[in-house]
Every structure is written in structure tokens, then in C-alpha cells.
Amino acid sequence: MVMIPPATYRIQFTPEFGFKSASGIVDYLSELGGVWIYASPIFAARRGTAHGYDVVDPDRLNPELGNEADFNELVARLGDKEMGWLQDAVPNHMAYSGENPMLADLFAWGEKSEFTRYFDISWDHPAKALSGRVAAPLLGDWLEQCLERGEIRPTLRNGTLGVVYFEHFFPLRLSHYSMLDPTSPGMEPGLPREFHHSWLRIIRRIVDNAQAPPSTGRDSRILEAKQGIARMMDQYPEVRRFVDSRLKGLDPQSGKPDAIAGLRSLLSKQVYALRHWRSASQEINYRRFFDINELICLRQERRQVFDRTHQGLIRLIEEGKVNGIRVDHIDGLNDPAQYLHRLRQTCGDIYVVVEKILAKDEALSLSWPVEGTSGYEFSDRVTRLFCRRAGQEALHAFYQAFSGRKASFARVCRMAKRQVLQESFAGDLNNLVHAIQMAADQAGHAAETDPEVLRAAAVELLTRFPVYRTYATRAEFTKEDARLIHGITEEAIQAVGSQQPDLIPALSMIRDCFLSDAWNLEGGSTARFQAVSRFQNLCAPLAAKGIEDTALYRFVRLLSLNDVGGHPDQMGISPSCFHAFLAERQKLWPHTMNTLSTHDSKRSEDVRARINVLSEIPDEWRLHCSAWKESNHREKPVHQGTPVPDGNVEYLLYQTLVGTFPFEPAALENYEERIQNYMVKAVREAKEHTSWQSPDAGYEQALCRFIHGLLFPGTEEEAFMADFIPFVEKISRWGACNSLAQTLIKMTAPGVPDFYQGTEVFDFSLVDPDNRRPVDFKYRARLLKAIQGGQRNPPQIPEGNPVQEGFDRMKLYLITRALQTRRQRPALFHWGTYEPLKAVPAGFTEHVMAYARVHEGQYCLTVVPRFLTEMVPHIRAPSGDIWKDAVLRLPDKYPGTWTSAISGEQYAADSFLPIGKLFRQFPVALLMGEFH
């Protein structure tokens, strides 16, 4: 039976916060509630990595995080506290680097390497320059310019012959060790007699084995020879001088006239084709993680690849050190279902969740052998629960007027996808079109396959795709996916038919290529599946880069909804829909993850909770925002004749300031830097005024000057700050109540609550790297100790300073009380049924969200307020007479006595519980009851 975590706590391991640092917070996490550590990738990655997703060796721990003993000590400490370990696994990709032993082997042996088919590379790419080679678009300029500047140089590193380009190292084919043969024709021996024979024997052992088939003996012989090279280089200066002299002939910095030509010729014979990073957008023959050239994808559908890349993880599971897996980017794999079944078969009954972004009305496949997802859909529903749908029309009208933007979110997404296809994925699109052509040729449709028309048709389908991908196998599409392909094709035909009628046959042909069995004739099934795979492989990264990393920074009507897995065009969700969502969750995925903040979040849960308040007060927001725009217009810097920022960026900035402004505006200098860095990233992601590919430094500097002028006005009477600070102080208190409410829902709804590091207190972080700043665990431990050291009553909403610490105490107090309650009644929260409850009379129904969890005589009630701006207009605690005669109606079967897990108060109930009493001591209520 799968061991279910009581809760998880995400830790971002870095060289600055490794295994020893984590050992230091085990006691704190235990006191918090016995959470499992949910670890970012811990296997060997590129040196200096800040995230660990650029894995170079999945069979050993990252030495920058600590050694095996440090890791074992951490795991032992967790075991002593009965806490587990959930590991973030990265099966989709590895670092494209010479540090990667598998790629280094591939570069050295070429077609003789056992890793030739490990990576998703098209060795028969139609481009002549890439046929039989793999593109390496890792240069900062074109190859010739890099050679002319002497940036690429030959080197011998620890016995491995290669070329170096800044931090990159690329091994040469083994056959090129012949350049170090002292008897090469036309060269002087160059070595003293006493070293000549030993050196010659080592070099010829490598060259003679360069064409040998893969075997353990072959690899051992080469390793021994390389060790011999390194040893002689270290021991004998004469050998080092000899090697330096040979390499100098190919070193552009040597001044030798033929060095560049010789090095260029040498590079043309390698497995990799060094290229400018920009070339990947137009021509590429390996699958990347999104559009990141430095991450190369694996073919996990092949058993030997799975076995080789999971050795380290499986070892830790077998040793009982890892108790669960979070599978990163499941949609990147060629066959996610096959991978998950293989993982389950190999790892047994451990807790497994997948990182999967579910689109509107999309459901996680019930055939996948997992406990659920990592929680994006939960975060989206909870965020929208506290977003008032009634304010959508007014807010939308104001957004359009302020920004000048009229396009719907759907149109913004299509345009963003189209741009990203052109700028980042044109090479991948060319590969898709070529695959469709190959399938058409084999199926007898060659006359219908004009490449440009096919390309345009493919763009129409890709940009309209409503989900991240389909899941076709060699067998067929599922019925649901087939209906989706049919529907999108018909939509595209209707949209472009009158203006581009030549696309209609091409659209129909692509649909038939994917769905018609007739395309399997003439042995075309393999080519057809290759086309389908190319399409599916492109859909997911296009959605990620087009929507998450572009459209969400362009359509900024209400930023709380603009997050991974979010739906910015859908303000609000009704209580009945939310109840239905949680009821289905309890029925189908009772142990899926419930999260509100992740390492990928665009903004933290507390930022979103605060921005949601704007949906309740659209008229007041309009008045303030319009006044700010008017007062700040004269302060805008001008760049290329245009004031910076424009209306859309300015609107994004004001919401960001409202969502993140500190409770106590003391350290604005640090805050200013954070906001400036975030806004530069935001406008680069939007790709309208500047971008990552073509940064406009002048625009970005103008934007930063505008932000500085807002936060540090020249006079004390400056209109913006004088109006902004009182407004945001009011918003922040309502937002804090929203945050407490959504936090309690996370901990009591069906599923496993997850906490991103540091968010157990109020955290107003933005997208990475802002949300990866060091966490002050000493501060959190001090607060927790004070809470558990005899505080009898729950902390109250702070009226004076320190406001930040006062709210932090509230959130931490709520979390530890709820987690301890879960710890005491695991069966209730793991298996308890979900039962919606309702507040009456009708005027209070929309202001209270309530439900029960019930299991074998144990009962838990969750009761939280919503939309408090009209209930508590003066920002006082949401308690007392504001609830008047509002009560929570209970079914007859429920207990008659309830105890608050937050305050310890007891309540007698005869079918009703007075709402005012429940919120008397704390803004949310968690009640426990049982039948003996």
C-alpha cells in the first residue's frame, strides 16, 4: 500500500543550502507538522546550478549539495522524526554539456557510442550540415567570429582531448588523438626518448580502439589510457610541453596563420556542429526542453535509457531513502503513459505525482498509475474562489480603457504562440513539416504536400490547440484526442477558409495523417507516427512559451489569475462548482497534491490573495488607478519618442505594487531592486518592447527610472505615494484574510497539502529568481517556538507595529494547528468523504465557504469567509455582529458538540452553528467532532 505523506515542504537545494543546511531545519519541520521534504533535483548537475534541472549524471548525488554522508545524515534525521522524502525527478532532459558523461561518450565515439540513441536526435536531418551530426547551438556568435576572436581553443583536460568555449567543454572524436602521436608524418617526434615509447603506446591504444564496438573492455581500455595521459602530463614537464606544442598549431590565439583553418577543419569532423545559439530557432535536429538549447531531451520510451537514467533514483528508493516521486514535465516525454507504468513497475508502491498542467475541462488520465498531479489545477480553483465574478465586466472595461488593449485572452494566446513559433521554434516547425511530408510520400499523397502550405496549416492547428498535448501511441489516438484533432481542424478551416482556401486541403491532409488508417499503407505507419510525435513534442513547449511565458505577461486584466495552469479569462468560480471540483478530487484523486505556491509560480499565494481583492472593488480600483496614471504621466521617461511605460505595462506594474508592497514599508531599497528586476523580466517575456533574444537596454533603463520615481519621489507631497500607501494598507488586510482562508482550504481539502519553502509565513515573492531567495528559517523557528511555548489564544489581526510579524504569527499558527490536527487523524484526511455545507440566510451564502470531511465517526468542518470588503468595510477583524443571524446548516447525522482546532473553544450545535461565534477569535474556523 502506498505511504501517503501528511504534507510536503518544498526545498530548493543550492550550493548555499545543501544537505547539511536542510539537516538544520528538520526539527523545525517536525514541529511544524511532520511534513515530508519535497526536494528539488539532487543528482549531479552543471557546476553552479541554481535549480538542479540541468542534470549531468543521474547516478550520483550533486557534490555541490554535500557528500553521501551528509545526505545519509539528513535522511536519518528525517527517519527519526518519522518524516519522508519526496524527490523531484527529471526524466525528460539532461544538460547539453561536456560535463555530461553520456554526451561526452557520444562525442568521443560517434556512431560507436552506446548512447547514440539515448538522446532525441534526428541523425538523418534533411539539412546536409546536420546529417549524421547533432547541432550544438551554444555559441554566443557565429562560428567564424568565435574562431577569429580565439574563443574556441583546443585543450587536453584530465586526459580528454577536446575544445573549450568559455564554460563549455566539447570532447573530440577519439580518432583525433592521432594529433598527439609523436610519429605522425611531417612532424618532429618532439619527445625525449625516455617518454616516447610509453606515450606512443597510450595514444595508439586510444586510436586503435576508436572504431571498436561498445563493450566493457573497450571502455576500460580507453579509461586506462586517458588516466595514463593525465598522469604523464602531471609528472613530466617534457610531455606537457610536447602536448602544448601540438595543440598550439590549432589554437587561434597562437598567432599561427593556419591555426583557424586547421581548427575549423577539425570541428567539421566532430559529432557536434558548433553553432550560434540563434540558429536553433531556424534549424535544429535535437529535441530541447522548451526552447532552452542547453537542455537536451532523452528517449525514455527505450528501456535501456530508462534503466540507465534511473539507477541513482531507484537505488535511493530501494534503500528506503526516497519515499515518493514528483515527475517533472511529464508532457515532455514521447510516451508518458508507458513511462509511468514502467516507473510504477520498477519502483513499486511509492507515492507518485506528475507535473501536469490541465487545461479548461481537461482531466488527468485515469489510466496513469499515479496519485495525481503536483497541484496547479488546485491552485487555480482556489485562487478563483476568492475572485469575485460579479466584478468582471467593470474590471474588464476599465482594463481595456486603461491599456488600450481590446483583444480577448484567446486571441492574445494565438498571437503569442504564432510569434514564439516564428522566433523560437521555426526549426522544430520545419522538422514537423518534413515529417508530415515523409508520411505523405509513404502514403501516396506527395502531390498535396507543398511545404509552405503545409507549414501555414500546421501553424493554424498548433496555435489553436487548447491543451498542452495529445497522447497518441503507435496504436492510435484516444477517442477524446481524436475528437480534439477533428474539432481543431474544423475550427481552423472555418477561420481561414475564406481568406486562404489553399489551406483547407492541407489542414485536412494533416488531420488524415494523424487519424486515418489509410495512411498506414505502403509501410507508412512509422513515418506517420514520427509526424504525430513531432506534433505532440511541439505542442507542449509551444503552450509553455506562448501562454505561460508570453501571453500571461500581455493580457494583465487581473494578475492573480495569470499563473501556471491559470485561466485569466475566467474570473471567479461559484461555490457549487468549487464543491464539485473537490468532491471529484476526493473520489478520483484523494491523495493528489494541494499547492498554492511552487517554484514555477508567477507570483506567490499571498500576492494573488491580495490582488484578488481588486475584483471586489472595481470602482474604487478604477478611481485610484486612474489618479495614479494622471499624476505619474509627467514623470515617464521617453525612449525613442515614446513615454515609458505604455498603459498595459503600467497597469501590470500597479497591480504588482499592490500585490507585493510590504506590510511595513521600511526597506524600500531592496524592494525597489526586486520590482525593477521583475518588471524587466516581465517585459522581456511579453516580447513587445524588449525580449530575451533582443534586449532593448534603453527601454529597460527607462522603465527602471520610472519605478524609482514612484518609490522614491522627489518631494514628500508626491501624489502617487500619498494615495498609494493608505490604499495598499487597506487592501493588504483584506488580502491577509483571503490568504488565511485559502491556506486552511489547502490543508483540509481532499489531497496532500504542499508548502513552498518559506510560505508558512506571509511571503510576497514574484517569479524566479525572486522566489528562490534564501529563506530566514531562524525567524520562522523563533515564531513557531513562541506559538508553541504557551500561547493560549490565537493571534489577532495586528492593529499596530510590527504588522508583518503579527500576520506571520497568524499564518504560522493556523498552519501548525491544522497540520497537527491532520497528524492526529490521518485516516480522516486521507480517506474522509467530502460533504458541502451552506450558510444561511441567502445573503451570507456567497460570503462563506464551508465543507465537512467525514470518516468512521470522525468529523472535520472547514469554514472560511469570502469577499469581505462589503462585510468589513473598515478593515477590522471579520467577526462579531457583521454576521448577524448567519448560521452554518448541518445535516442531522452530525455531532452535537464541536471543538475548535484553532482556539480550543467548544460549540454546541443543534443543526446550526452561528457564524459569528466561529469567527470570534480567528478569521477562519477548523472544527472537530466525533461520535463515540
Side-chain angles (χ1 to χ4, degrees):
M1 186 174 180
V2 175
M3 182 169 61
I4 308 301
T8 58
Y9 189 95
R10 172 74 178 206
I11 289 179
Q12 294 294 120
F13 282 105
T14 66
E16 294 72 37
F17 192 92
F19 301 139
K20 285 187 176 180
S21 299
S23 291
I25 65 169
V26 169
D27 288 343
Y28 165 72
L29 295 180
S30 176
E31 292 296 318
L32 185 67
V35 298
W36 285 17
I37 280 183
Y38 164 23
S40 64
I42 61 171
F43 292 104
R46 289 190 66 177
R47 280 170 287 186
T49 181
H51 48 76
Y53 288 96
D54 43 1
V55 178
V56 297
D57 189 349
D59 195 30
R60 61 186 179 93
L61 296 175
N62 187 344
E64 293 189 316
L65 305 183
N67 56 34
E68 194 90 22
D70 298 330
F71 175 74
N72 290 339
E73 180 183 350
L74 170 56
V75 171
R77 295 208 64 198
L78 292 172
D80 291 341
K81 301 290 185 179
E82 298 183 346
M83 297 160 62
W85 186 289
L86 176 67
Q87 182 57 54
D88 194 349
V90 192
N92 177 65
H93 55 268
M94 297 182 74
Y96 195 152
S97 167
E99 294 180 53
N100 184 334
M102 297 182 195
L103 277 175
D105 188 275
L106 174 61
F107 294 158
W109 294 100
E111 64 277 7
K112 298 297 182 179
S113 170
E114 65 173 299
F115 301 108
T116 305
R117 298 183 62 202
Y118 272 52
F119 299 96
D120 205 342
I121 300 169
S122 297
W123 294 105
D124 57 349
H125 195 271
K128 183 178 179 181
L130 295 181
S131 180
R133 304 177 72 194
V134 56
L138 303 173
L139 303 180
D141 203 341
W142 303 105
L143 176 61
E144 196 62 31
Q145 279 66 48
C146 293
L147 289 172
E148 290 287 346
R149 290 195 293 267
E151 295 169 348
I152 304 173
R153 307 180 67 191
T155 186
L156 186 63
R157 178 182 290 181
N158 297 323
T160 298
L161 186 63
V163 295
V164 64
Y165 173 75
F166 294 104
E167 74 275 15
H168 296 288
F169 175 71
F170 302 94
L172 298 177
R173 286 181 182 268
L174 294 179
S175 57
H176 293 297
Y177 277 73
S178 59
M179 73 173 68
L180 300 180
D181 186 335
T183 66
S184 297
M187 293 186 179
E188 294 295 326
L191 268 178
R193 184 182 302 275
E194 62 266 30
F195 307 121
H196 183 89
H197 182 70
S198 298
W199 181 260
L200 180 61
R201 185 177 66 250
I202 291 173
I203 296 301
R204 288 189 173 175
R205 171 174 288 189
I206 292 177
V207 174
D208 291 346
N209 279 278
Q211 299 302 317
S215 71
T216 303
R218 180 202 70 172
D219 294 343
S220 296
R221 290 191 295 272
I222 295 297
L223 177 60
E224 182 181 344
K226 287 185 175 182
Q227 291 172 341
I229 289 176
R231 189 165 51 250
M232 291 188 71
M233 289 275 289
D234 289 340
Q235 293 178 355
Y236 306 115
E238 296 89 343
V239 173
R240 178 171 293 278
R241 283 195 293 270
F242 164 75
V243 171
D244 288 345
S245 68
R246 288 295 171 93
L247 297 181
K248 192 174 183 179
L250 296 172
D251 188 346
Q253 293 188 12
S254 68
K256 291 183 177 293
D258 297 332
I260 291 178
L263 184 56
R264 184 192 305 114
S265 175
L266 178 68
L267 291 174
S268 70
K269 299 178 177 68
Q270 302 311 309
V271 175
Y272 46 83
L274 292 180
R275 293 180 158 208
H276 193 327
W277 65 268
R278 290 183 182 275
S279 69
S281 64
Q282 298 298 321
E283 189 175 74
I284 193 167
N285 69 331
Y286 69 93
R287 187 162 58 87
R288 302 166 290 174
F289 173 69
F290 296 168
D291 61 345
I292 303 175
N293 296 349
E294 291 83 2
L295 297 176
I296 184 170
C297 290
L298 292 155
R299 299 182 61 187
Q300 288 290 356
E301 68 275 12
R302 304 187 72 233
R303 182 75 207 208
Q304 58 266 52
V305 177
F306 177 92
D307 291 342
R308 182 64 177 257
T309 57
H310 287 71
Q311 287 178 356
L313 180 61
I314 292 169
R315 173 175 58 85
L316 296 181
I317 292 171
E318 291 174 343
E319 293 172 352
K321 297 172 183 176
V322 167
N323 312 105
I325 300 172
R326 179 262 200 188
V327 181
D328 179 65
H329 191 43
I330 189 67
D331 279 345
L333 302 178
N334 281 325
D335 193 340
Q338 179 209 56
Y339 171 83
L340 291 171
H341 282 285
R342 184 172 287 160
L343 185 71
R344 178 63 75 188
Q345 180 185 35
T346 304
C347 299
D349 289 335
I350 65 168
Y351 183 74
V352 178
V353 292
V354 294
E355 186 208 22
K356 166 63 183 166
I357 297 174
L358 295 167
K360 183 174 64 175
D361 301 325
E362 184 183 13
L364 186 65
S365 174
L366 293 173
S367 67
W368 286 6
V370 298
E371 273 61 60
T373 74
S374 54
Y376 295 137
E377 72 285 352
F378 178 85
S379 178
D380 167 63
R381 299 306 197 286
V382 174
T383 298
R384 286 196 284 131
L385 179 67
F386 293 92
C387 175
R388 190 151 200 178
R389 189 163 47 180
Q392 176 169 328
E393 187 174 333
L395 200 61
H396 186 67
F398 176 56
Y399 169 58
Q400 288 189 326
F402 192 101
S403 67
R405 304 289 177 100
K406 306 298 182 184
S408 67
F409 180 63
R411 177 168 174 75
V412 171
C413 288
R414 286 198 298 273
M415 297 304 293
K417 282 185 174 183
R418 192 177 294 271
Q419 180 178 341
V420 167
L421 264 177
Q422 177 181 346
E423 294 179 353
S424 299
F425 295 115
D428 303 88
L429 180 60
N430 291 338
N431 294 341
L432 169 61
V433 170
H434 177 70
I436 295 173
Q437 286 182 287
M438 295 295 292
D441 289 344
Q442 292 192 27
H445 295 278
E448 306 170 22
T449 57
D450 178 80
E452 290 306 313
V453 175
L454 265 182
R455 181 186 177 92
V459 168
E460 290 299 325
L461 294 179
L462 287 163
T463 56
R464 296 174 187 279
F465 220 67
V467 295
Y468 261 60
R469 61 165 288 175
T470 51
Y471 297 95
T473 64
R474 285 190 177 275
E476 60 183 359
F477 278 93
T478 64
K479 291 181 179 180
E480 293 79 8
D481 284 347
R483 282 196 295 268
L484 179 61
I485 296 291
H486 275 294
I488 296 301
T489 304
E490 289 304 313
E491 177 188 322
I493 288 174
Q494 292 297 320
V496 305
S498 60
Q499 298 178 338
Q500 297 174 282
D502 57 328
L503 292 190
I504 295 178
L507 286 164
S508 299
M509 193 191 76
I510 295 175
R511 176 197 59 204
D512 292 344
C513 173
F514 292 169
L515 302 178
S516 174
D517 289 339
W519 280 60
N520 286 338
L521 300 177
E522 305 293 333
S525 61
T526 299
R528 173 192 175 192
F529 180 67
Q530 182 70 12
V532 171
S533 295
R534 292 284 183 202
F535 185 82
Q536 294 182 149
N537 289 154
L538 184 50
C539 274
L542 179 60
K545 300 304 294 183
I547 299 175
E548 291 176 38
D549 292 344
T550 306
L552 292 187
Y553 291 94
R554 292 182 178 180
F555 184 91
V556 294
R557 181 176 66 187
L558 190 67
L559 287 180
S560 52
L561 307 180
N562 289 33
D563 222 306
V564 181
H567 304 287
D569 55 342
Q570 296 181 335
M571 282 183 62
I573 184 174
S574 69
S576 59
C577 288
F578 187 74
H579 283 310
F581 167 71
L582 290 188
E584 183 181 65
R585 202 170 178 83
Q586 191 279 326
K587 179 182 178 181
L588 300 178
W589 308 103
H591 305 134
T592 187
M593 288 180 75
N594 296 342
T595 193
L596 292 173
S597 293
T598 75
H599 58 285
D600 286 325
S601 293
K602 303 298 182 187
R603 47 197 60 81
S604 75
E605 61 203 65
D606 297 319
V607 174
R608 298 198 308 273
R610 193 188 282 184
I611 292 176
N612 263 341
V613 176
L614 303 181
S615 71
E616 302 178 47
I617 53 169
D619 292 335
E620 185 177 352
W621 168 243
R622 173 178 54 81
L623 292 174
H624 283 281
C625 214
S626 298
W628 301 339
K629 184 176 185 180
E630 176 64 25
S631 66
N632 294 328
H633 177 71
R634 294 183 299 275
E635 307 302 322
K636 289 186 175 182
V638 175
H639 174 64
Q640 295 182 351
T642 303
V644 177
D646 67 3
N648 203 55
V649 175
E650 187 175 4
Y651 196 71
L652 183 152
L653 173 60
Y654 291 151
Q655 288 184 79
T656 300
L657 294 176
V658 167
T660 61
F661 203 76
F663 282 119
E664 300 158 16
L668 281 183
E669 290 188 14
N670 176 56
Y671 179 71
E672 176 191 18
E673 182 181 3
R674 288 178 52 218
I675 296 300
Q676 288 177 336
N677 289 342
Y678 167 75
M679 288 300 298
V680 168
K681 177 169 183 172
V683 292
R684 285 186 180 182
E685 297 283 24
K687 305 172 185 67
E688 294 178 311
H689 305 287
T690 182
S691 68
W692 296 106
Q693 290 193 1
S694 301
D696 185 335
Y699 174 88
E700 294 171 3
Q701 291 165 5
L703 178 60
C704 289
R705 289 199 303 273
F706 179 73
I707 294 169
H708 177 78
L710 294 185
L711 298 178
F712 294 95
T715 64
E716 294 183 2
E717 293 78 22
E718 207 281 337
F720 171 70
M721 290 299 282
D723 185 67
F724 175 79
I725 289 179
F727 176 75
V728 79
E729 285 179 348
K730 181 172 60 173
I731 298 297
S732 68
R733 290 176 175 265
W734 282 318
C737 290
N738 281 350
S739 181
L740 295 172
Q742 67 186 20
T743 298
L744 182 58
I745 290 175
K746 176 176 76 172
M747 292 187 289
T748 60
V752 174
D754 170 54
F755 298 86
Y756 182 69
Q757 61 178 27
T759 59
E760 64 272 28
V761 300
F762 278 86
D763 176 86
F764 299 102
S765 294
L766 294 162
V767 71
D768 71 282
D770 193 58
N771 64 4
R772 303 190 189 197
R773 289 172 293 145
V775 176
D776 188 350
F777 284 109
K778 289 183 179 179
Y779 169 73
R780 287 157 176 78
R782 176 176 65 80
L783 287 187
L784 184 59
K785 185 176 181 180
I787 287 171
Q788 296 179 334
Q791 182 170 348
R792 296 184 178 181
N793 297 316
Q796 303 299 302
I797 292 178
E799 294 300 328
N801 287 328
V803 176
Q804 175 76 49
E805 184 169 319
F807 278 117
D808 287 347
R809 283 178 180 269
M810 294 183 73
K811 189 174 182 183
L812 188 60
Y813 183 93
L814 172 64
I815 288 171
T816 188
R817 287 292 187 270
L819 287 181
Q820 295 296 348
T821 302
R822 288 183 64 96
R823 211 173 189 180
Q824 294 160 7
R825 298 170 177 83
L828 171 62
F829 290 98
H830 285 169
W831 306 108
T833 58
Y834 178 87
E835 300 183 6
L837 300 175
K838 193 174 185 180
V840 292
F844 294 95
T845 300
E846 72 169 356
H847 292 286
V848 177
M849 167 57 58
Y851 54 83
R853 302 294 303 280
V854 181
H855 182 72
E856 295 182 349
Q858 293 183 333
Y859 292 75
C860 167
L861 301 184
T862 297
V863 190
V864 301
R866 294 197 309 155
F867 307 150
L868 288 173
T869 54
E870 67 182 65
M871 299 287 294
V872 196
H874 301 296
I875 337 171
R876 60 187 177 88
S879 60
D881 59 1
I882 67 167
W883 298 103
K884 300 177 183 176
D885 57 346
V887 296
L888 187 68
R889 178 178 290 163
L890 302 179
D892 293 338
K893 64 179 181 178
Y894 279 29
T897 302
W898 299 87
T899 302
S900 169
I902 297 173
S903 68
E905 283 189 294
Q906 288 196 332
Y907 307 94
D910 184 12
S911 300
F912 296 100
L913 279 170
I915 300 294
K917 286 186 178 181
L918 301 185
F919 296 153
R920 182 168 54 194
Q921 292 202 51
F922 203 76
V924 299
L926 175 62
L927 307 180
M928 310 305 298
E930 56 186 297
F931 284 122
H932 297 287

